[in-house]
Amino acid sequence: MKCPKCGNQLSEGKLLCEKCGEEVKYVPDFDIELEHELRKSISSIMEELAEKEPEKDEEKGFETEDLKDKFSDYFPKKQIGFLKNKKRMIVITITAVMIISVGVAGVTGFAKLSKQRENSYDYQYEKAVECAQMEQYDEAIGYLERALAIDASQIDARFLLAQYYDESGMRTSAVSVLNEILVQKPDYPRRDEVYDALFTIYEEDQNYEELGSALVSCDVARIVSKYNKYAALPPEFNKEGGAYEEIISITLAGNTLGTVYYTIDGTEPTRSSSVYETPILLESGIYTIRAMFVITYDIESEIVSQTYEINLLVPESPVVNLDSGTYDEPELIEVYHNDDTKIYYTTDGSTPDKNSNKYNNPIEMPYGMSNFSFIAIGSSGGSSEVVSRSYQLNVEANFDTEIAIQVLTNHLVASGKLLNTGGNVTDRLGYNQYRVQTVVKVEEQLYYIVYEEYMDTTGSVHDTNNIYAIDVNTADLYKAYKIDEGTYHLNPFDE
């Protein structure tokens, strides 16, 4: 059958045109064979009646009608009327039978069509929508389930069924249908809406574990962004595993609020492992970092790992100009190295690193005993072997460093700069302390160089920027100003 509006050929059983949407009103089809047989029977009867029409009796010279009149005295009038109208009655009876038969066939066809329409997908779907509009969701579910039993390929109807389940409180059924759609129809164009409906149910039911698990496999960016706070995604490393020729710093980042736990020895991390707070510094060696992320909704991510092999280029060791030994005159300690390295040193015999004192200029040899350790660190982070030197600086003098400090403090007390020789000052609770840093030669004369420091009540030491020079032979006192390493300018003490 064709659509009365657009002429499109309709599929069998369809009540709506698939092309223009026009509703098709079927007129019941009668049984053509039955009608043909009825017409044939009536025609035969009519022919028989025609053969029996009144005609003259040639032999007897009268007509059948005359015979009827002749015997009228012997027949009642009713019987004569009946005989007269026999032909008409037969025709009427046959016509009535035909009409009834055709009517019965029509009613049967209409009932058959009505039953066919009720069993169609479109009818059941339309009834479901009508019930849902009246918030009769249980009835709507029944109609929609019957519609899908007729045509299970209708994904929109399945999605609508999940929504009806949700509205009627059947959330387990709703979740089941939504998950089926996501698994069975990965190309469904309304996939984001399906995810949204599913995650809304999880969120309202506080089923965060299922929500987070589903988010991991979700391939819709908009949905992942919307529900990101529920996703415990594995931590992200800032660097891929592999071999490096420099010291590297590894950072670990979670996708939302939570805590990253990690290990660097390849063992499986737990909530008792190290908590990531600052970058992880990897120096020479092999490290396997394994990490997991726990979001604020108490959901753990998968454990991820990266392995790093750090092979640092080892720079050449620094070269020191002075050998270890005893010196009776001050000397400057100089260190030579490549331009692509930096030199760090300590004076207490410990191993230096990049957090130690940095060598920039020649160093004054300290008075007395000193121990220097030098190391070169290349641009890649590799360290050279440590070079150590020990020096003993002693000079010929009329008095030692202790007497020199006593001479200085007595003068400071006399001038009012100290309250007493213990170093107490007038404007602060702490006290000043003094130490002989080195010995310098100025115009062939040697001087003790004394630095002044202030120690506060917490034990912290602060440089006061006051430097004094004391002649090692005469004990004459001067104010000293450092010009460069090993070079000082002297002024009279009272200035």
Side-chain angles (χ1 to χ4, degrees), residues 369-469:
M369 188 68 185
S370 60
N371 296 293
F372 283 86
S373 295
F374 299 94
I375 194 170
I377 298 179
S379 57
S380 66
S383 301
S384 71
E385 294 183 0
V386 176
V387 176
S388 298
R389 293 288 186 271
S390 295
Y391 303 105
Q392 178 70 47
L393 175 59
N394 292 318
V395 295
E396 292 185 6
N398 291 332
F399 51 91
D400 59 20
T401 57
E402 291 183 3
I403 294 176
I405 290 175
Q406 288 180 6
V407 170
L408 174 60
T409 55
N410 288 336
H411 278 78
L412 292 174
V413 171
S415 63
K417 294 180 180 179
L418 291 178
L419 293 176
N420 51 53
T421 56
N424 295 103
V425 294
T426 58
D427 56 348
R428 288 176 289 185
L429 295 178
Y431 62 92
N432 288 350
Q433 60 184 18
Y434 302 88
R435 61 181 176 83
V436 175
Q437 173 66 20
T438 187
V439 175
V440 297
K441 179 181 284 189
V442 179
E443 296 179 355
E444 300 302 320
Q445 183 62 43
L446 295 176
Y447 297 86
Y448 291 117
I449 299 297
V450 182
Y451 278 66
E452 182 184 72
E453 298 170 334
Y454 171 73
M455 179 176 285
D456 61 26
T457 54
T458 66
S460 299
V461 177
H462 310 273
D463 191 352
T464 65
N465 295 319
N466 289 326
I467 304 174
Y468 300 94

Side-chain angles (χ1 to χ4, degrees), residues 344-365:
Y344 297 89
Y345 69 95
T346 60
T347 58
D348 58 1
S350 62
T351 300
D353 56 29
K354 66 179 182 179
N355 296 313
S356 303
N357 299 314
K358 185 178 180 181
Y359 175 84
N360 293 311
N361 297 298
I363 305 169
E364 295 174 350
M365 182 180 291

Side-chain angles (χ1 to χ4, degrees), residues 60 72 237 283 302 322 343 390:
K60 297 180 180 182
S72 61
F237 289 72
E283 298 182 341
E302 294 180 358
L322 299 177
I343 305 300
S390 295

